[in-house]
Amino acid sequence: MRYARIVPDIAARAIDGCFDYAVSPELAETCLVGCCVLVSFGHRDVVGYVVGLADEPAAGVDRARVQPVRSVLAAPSFDEVGARLASWIAREYAAPLAVCLRLMLPPGQTMRVTREEGGDWTLVAERAKAVDDRWVSLTDEGRAFRPRANAKRQQRVIEALGAGPQRVAELSALVPGAGSVVSALLKHGVVAVEHRRRVRGSADAASTLSSARAPRPARLTDGQEAALAAIARAADARVGDVVLVDGVTGSGKTEVYLDAIERELSRGRGAIVLVPEISLTAQTVGRFRSRFGDDVAILHSRLSTGERFDQWDMVREGRAHVVVGARSALFAPLSDVGLVIVDEEHEGSYKQDQAPRYHAREAAAELARLRGSALVLGSATPSLESLERCRRGGWRGVSWTRVEMPERPGAAVLPRVRVVDMRREFAPKNGSIFSRALGDALLGMAERREKAVLLLNRRGFASFLMCRECGCVPTCTHCSTALTYHERTHSLVCHSCGRSWPVRAYPDPSTRCPSCGSRYLAQFGVGTQRVEDELGMLLAGKGVDVIRMDADTTATKGAHTRLLERFDASECAVLVGTQMIAKGLDFPEVTLVGVVNADTTLKLPDFRAAERTHHLLEQVAGRAGRGERPGEVIIQTYWATHPAIAAVATHERAAFEHYELAQRREAYYPPFSRVANVVVGGVSETCVRGRAQAMADAVRREVAAGVGGEAAGSGRAAAGGRAGVANPRGAVGMVLPGLSDVPGMPEVPGMPEVPELPDGWEVLGPSECVKGRVKDRHRWHLIVKAPPEAELGPVLSAAVGSLPADRRTTMAIDVDAYDFM
Ligand code: ADP
Ligand code: ZN
Ligand code: ZN
């Protein structure tokens, strides 16, 4: 008899772990690691995941009482390494194992068992609708058409189309500016554009594109050569060594990835490439597809479920060996992985904001260790954490090497950056949001028929109303969120719960402050609409296409790509947008980048605020001057002397890093410590507070129990015990760790005195969150700081496991947190 170790999909911390089930001879061939199965657990049927197989039940499990696996519901979606990665995430981030294993499942396979009348148990899987693409092809006249000798882009477009029809978006990736070329050729009847139904996951596009070649540079830069050599060494070591490619924007990092992947493919190993969701544009995808054709699978959330499933399945079937995607690509079923690449590794969006709250860069490092791949991190603005690890030369037993690529290839140079101190700009009469410098630069750009990108930095701070007399800001009555003012609809909107209120007559003086009755309500902060309107006025009659890209205009599927295509096709245009325009765009005609308000993110209550602001400004500045014409960057700020802003102007990142590291060391923040944020939520504030206090006490006890330099070690033992093996029958009456306390035991605030914590450990709080209320639920949190090498996750798991269950509150444990609001 074979035995399977199975994790039941019950997302309760109390039942977290594996249990043994017997595999009957009939199921022996199909019940494999990575399978989804149906088992009994207590008195119910549950879905479970097979994470291991053995000839004997685990020690201490009574063979006679082991239950059988009832049926196999789905073929394997992960292997042993996948199972180990899931359990690493569970441990590291204090998340239930079952929830981590769900990461490994095929997209759209909702893990719900249903039974048709009298039928078998089946899994429900979603299927998606088809989508349309714009395809361009040569017409019959087009075949005879000879472009003028100096029309280089036309020549390249026509040459590319010689291989067959192409998607406009992907053509733009091959030939920058292809969009406008296509518009021109269309007028002359040289090409035809049609809408075509896409086979899910764009496999058809890949096959036509596989014949097209990516523009491979004639010569690599010295920096690129050095990076490739370091990556080759790391890949050949096969232990998970890390190479940080620290290259200025436009230095050719993507080219390095492509070449490194090519090398691995030639050795029979595949690659996983993570790109932040918002920079996963058709442009990025096109560059990978054009180099590797249909050997590429794409996985990201803007694809429909069906598309994602098809792409995922291509990997499982071994038809695609390069996976490009957002965080979830990490869990694609690729078994022979030579390279794991994390582009823009500093991006905060790599930190998952729901359970399991893993950081994709850290999970990638673990995956690389487990599979013996090289991990390549790329950024123009690496995180302080990664820089620190490179300075140390290693981290968690593998080597970390930094390779610099300080130059752009060819003629392209870094743009000139000007910081405009808005305090010195005397307010123009019309109250314009553009300084004179930025206004003039925009007009100059229009005259030269070039393109500009305008960033409105507004994460966390949109436009809101404030009373000039008492400072009151209208907030949502269900959340502690300042209401955002929407000019077009004259409404106040809560971005936490989506409720909205009309502002009947703003700025009519009859609108009064809800708190003091004052009539002086003023609008603070600006929105993208306002910028769009002002641009319209500034550039009126100049024939400039103003394109707004923000959450509103990109809400529908494909909108993002369409807006970029329009920007590409325009002869002279301004792209206005929020954070989402800062990354990954490579349009050689962009000669001007403007930042309307650089400092809003500096003031957020978050120790990473300065680092984030600096990254954003560097990134957006990097959009300028990527072609032959030089670029200019104009940054408007009220805080011109802040190192995060000043360092962008001089391209001296070291100055900022030096300043910021000193601040972090002083305040004991990463990379000098680890920080976890534990948020308790619930309807009753008393319950929430009590629970947060109980958790803080439990963490203190747990940490203190490990005194003797072994705090982390004891935490590991405690958590390890929880994931113990038991037989399912036993599970019913088993005394589960964490439930051994009397259920319903009253929480006593101010538990017995807690001994002193070991060095490097701090438990702060509990206190009310900055967003103290969201959707009528109160939120309290505590912050736990630990030494950089401490095992924070297991300690927190043990702490929450030691508390009695509480249905009135929820608890979110965020290890290595990025969001403290
Ligand atoms: P990054 O990812 O660092 O921002 P990219 O890889 O997008 O940079 O490269 C920027 C531009 O430079 C692209 O248009 C790319 O095709 C081009 N490029 C990259 N490497 C070279 C090279 N060695 N020689 C010439 N052009 C190059
Ligand atoms: Zn007031
Ligand atoms: Zn609300």
Side-chain angles (χ1 to χ4, degrees):
M1 186 68 94
R2 295 276 280 165
Y3 296 88
R5 302 192 72 195
I6 289 171
V7 177
D9 191 352
I10 302 170
R13 286 185 184 278
I15 315 171
D16 196 20
C18 326
F19 301 88
D20 275 8
Y21 287 86
V23 181
S24 65
E26 305 82 73
L27 291 181
E29 302 231 315
T30 51
C31 184
L32 306 169
V33 169
C35 276
C36 179
V37 295
L38 186 72
V39 293
S40 306
F41 191 85
H43 297 294
R44 57 190 275 207
D45 289 331
V46 295
V47 163
Y49 310 115
V50 181
V51 295
L53 290 165
D55 291 325
E56 295 290 327
V61 173
D62 180 357
R63 193 180 300 247
R65 299 177 63 187
V66 171
Q67 297 256 311
V69 171
R70 299 258 295 274
S71 64
V72 175
L73 298 172
S77 64
F78 56 87
D79 60 5
E80 276 94 353
V81 168
R84 281 163 67 191
L85 181 62
S87 76
W88 180 85
I89 292 175
R91 222 175 93 74
E92 185 75 5
Y93 296 100
L97 184 53
V99 176
C100 299
L101 282 166
R102 283 187 209 151
L103 296 170
M104 312 284 162
L105 302 177
Q109 305 284 317
T110 47
M111 286 295 111
R112 195 159 48 90
V113 281
T114 56
R115 185 155 56 171
E116 317 232 320
E117 268 170 82
D120 289 331
W121 289 97
T122 48
L123 277 185
V124 182
E126 298 164 36
R127 284 288 173 257
K129 297 189 199 83
V131 287
D132 272 347
D133 275 319
R134 280 175 63 214
W135 283 75
V136 54
S137 55
L138 281 181
T139 58
D140 287 343
E141 302 94 276
R143 290 185 196 288
F145 179 78
R146 291 282 163 270
R148 288 195 321 273
N150 61 352
K152 293 269 184 289
R153 288 194 302 188
Q154 285 196 2
Q155 286 169 5
R156 287 178 65 191
V157 165
I158 289 172
E159 199 178 301
L161 291 176
Q166 300 222 8
R167 229 190 279 233
V168 175
E170 281 164 353
L171 194 60
S172 297
L174 280 181
V175 183
S180 52
V181 175
V182 167
S183 311
L185 293 177
L186 187 61
K187 282 201 201 105
H188 293 103
V190 175
V191 298
V193 174
E194 63 169 326
H195 289 262
R196 242 196 235 176
R197 190 180 150 155
R198 188 197 304 184
V199 171
R200 295 189 317 172
S202 46
D204 56 345
S207 55
T208 55
L209 270 170
S210 61
S211 56
R213 299 258 49 99
R216 196 188 287 271
R219 219 181 78 32
L220 294 178
T221 64
D222 292 348
Q224 287 174 321
E225 295 281 11
L228 282 168
I231 294 168
R233 270 195 304 279
D236 293 344
R238 298 207 167 202
V239 292
D241 282 346
V242 182
V243 177
L244 172 62
V245 180
D246 182 354
V248 297
T249 49
S251 58
K253 292 184 291 294
T254 312
E255 199 59 45
V256 168
Y257 307 152
L258 293 171
D259 284 10
I261 293 169
E262 207 158 44
R263 179 182 185 271
E264 288 310 304
L265 288 175
S266 74
R267 283 163 170 70
R269 308 190 80 190
I272 294 176
V273 186
L274 301 193
V275 180
E277 189 81 46
I278 54 170
S279 38
L280 244 179
T281 57
Q283 251 190 337
T284 328
V285 171
R287 287 180 73 179
F288 282 90
R289 278 217 197 282
S290 63
R291 181 71 68 92
F292 303 115
D294 44 18
D295 207 5
V296 179
I298 308 290
L299 286 168
H300 62 80
S301 66
R302 286 193 306 270
L303 294 178
S304 67
T305 311
E307 286 170 325
R308 270 183 292 144
F309 177 79
D310 286 0
Q311 297 288 304
W312 185 93
D313 208 40
M314 260 169 46
V315 181
R316 173 162 64 177
E317 290 183 352
R319 285 184 286 133
H321 300 91
V322 179
V323 187
V324 180
R327 283 181 306 238
S328 62
L330 213 46
F331 311 111
L334 187 67
S335 55
D336 209 353
V337 186
L339 280 180
V340 182
I341 297 171
V342 181
D343 190 30
E344 312 285 7
E345 64 90 25
H346 62 277
E347 260 292 306
S349 63
Y350 280 128
K351 185 65 161 65
Q352 176 90 352
D353 55 8
Q354 285 168 4
R357 294 178 172 78
Y358 65 93
H359 195 301
R361 176 184 62 222
E362 306 304 316
E366 183 61 19
L367 179 67
R369 264 192 296 266
L370 291 171
R371 297 236 183 253
S373 336
L375 172 63
V376 177
L377 305 176
S379 177
T381 52
S383 62
L384 292 173
E385 284 89 339
S386 295
L387 288 171
E388 179 65 15
R389 292 172 191 182
C390 290
R391 242 188 309 270
R392 292 180 181 203
W395 174 251
R396 290 186 171 169
V398 298
S399 88
W400 281 61
T401 311
R402 184 168 76 112
V403 183
E404 277 180 281
M405 302 207 310
E407 270 148 29
R408 289 182 170 182
V413 290
L414 287 173
R416 192 164 76 96
V417 180
R418 246 198 298 170
V419 173
V420 177
D421 187 342
M422 294 300 274
R423 287 172 314 181
R424 297 215 188 137
E425 282 279 318
F426 43 89
K429 270 196 245 55
N430 61 355
S432 169
I433 54 180
F434 301 128
S435 59
R436 179 175 310 181
L438 184 51
D440 288 350
L442 283 163
L443 290 168
M445 178 278 310
E447 216 142 86
R448 293 189 303 274
R449 311 312 289 162
E450 295 170 349
K451 289 179 187 175
V453 168
L454 216 47
L455 172 79
L456 186 65
N457 180 14
R458 49 169 257 178
R459 180 173 293 151
F461 277 93
S463 185
F464 55 90
L465 294 182
M466 187 167 102
C467 172
R468 286 241 159 122
E469 302 215 348
C470 75
C472 156
V473 173
T475 53
C476 175
T477 50
H478 302 263
C479 314
S480 53
T481 307
L483 295 173
T484 307
Y485 175 61
H486 284 227
E487 204 157 351
R488 296 271 157 90
T489 50
H490 291 297
S491 57
L492 289 168
V493 179
C494 169
H495 280 280
S496 292
C497 70
R499 286 184 175 84
S500 73
W501 289 262
V503 179
R504 243 158 270 105
Y506 180 84
D508 179 311
S510 67
T511 305
R512 286 171 184 273
C513 166
S515 159
C516 73
S518 159
R519 293 180 169 184
Y520 296 100
L521 288 181
Q523 186 191 341
F524 276 77
V526 289
T528 38
Q529 292 177 354
R530 166 101 186 273
V531 179
E532 189 186 11
D533 292 348
E534 288 217 10
L535 268 177
M537 287 188 283
L538 180 74
L539 302 173
K542 304 246 185 301
V544 181
D545 192 7
V546 175
I547 300 165
R548 174 161 66 98
M549 200 155 120
D550 57 19
D552 291 341
T553 61
T554 55
T556 58
K557 194 179 154 93
H560 190 260
T561 305
R562 274 197 304 280
L563 290 173
L564 288 181
E565 275 179 29
R566 191 176 127 204
F567 185 59
D568 188 29
S570 262
E571 178 234 346
C572 175
V574 184
L575 182 65
V576 182
T578 50
Q579 269 71 353
M580 71 171 73
I581 62 167
K583 331 243 140 90
L585 306 183
D586 185 10
F587 294 105
E589 307 94 340
V590 173
T591 54
L592 173 66
V593 165
V595 179
V596 176
N597 53 347
D599 29 35
T600 45
T601 45
L602 270 179
K603 293 165 191 159
L604 294 178
D606 183 333
F607 71 87
R608 285 192 181 87
E611 188 185 13
R612 281 203 191 119
T613 305
H614 178 73
H615 289 168
L616 178 67
L617 296 178
E618 272 294 341
Q619 294 287 342
V620 73
R623 301 309 113 206
R626 293 171 80 91
E628 278 113 51
R629 278 176 280 188
E632 176 171 37
V633 179
I634 296 179
I635 297 176
Q636 302 189 151
T637 176
Y638 285 94
W639 206 344
T641 53
H642 192 287
I645 292 171
V648 181
T650 54
H651 295 294
E652 277 189 70
R653 205 182 70 203
F656 168 70
E657 280 164 16
H658 196 74
Y659 159 87
E660 184 64 16
L661 281 171
Q663 305 272 315
R664 299 278 184 94
R665 195 188 291 276
E666 169 80 23
Y668 193 47
Y669 275 121
F672 304 106
S673 69
R674 297 185 78 177
V675 180
N677 186 27
V678 180
V679 179
V680 178
V683 176
S684 147
E685 186 167 19
T686 317
C687 294
V688 168
R689 257 168 98 162
R691 186 71 171 171
Q693 184 64 55
M695 180 62 179
D697 293 339
V699 175
R700 289 194 179 98
R701 273 197 304 277
E702 210 55 55
V703 174
V707 185
E710 265 275 298
S714 83
R716 182 199 319 213
R722 285 167 50 68
V725 180
N727 87 41
R729 275 274 162 248
V732 182
M734 190 172 70
V735 180
L736 290 161
L739 293 185
S740 50
D741 303 307
V742 184
M745 181 187 78
E747 288 157 16
V748 188
M751 292 283 281
E753 274 303 299
V754 180
E756 227 170 87
L757 302 185
D759 267 0
W761 287 82
E762 290 173 24
V763 179
L764 311 172
S767 60
E768 194 179 10
C769 295
V770 174
K771 290 184 194 158
R773 211 150 62 108
V774 172
K775 298 181 190 172
D776 284 328
R777 292 170 62 84
H778 291 273
R779 300 170 79 240
W780 278 65
H781 70 152
L782 51 126
I783 287 179
V784 184
K785 288 183 170 182
E789 56 288 328
E791 304 229 40
L792 193 45
V795 168
L796 295 174
S797 289
V800 69
S802 74
L803 296 177
D806 177 12
R807 287 177 193 285
R808 295 160 304 181
T809 57
T810 53
M811 191 186 299
I813 298 179
D814 192 358
V815 176
D816 298 336
Y818 271 59
D819 179 1
F820 295 88
M821 307 273 274

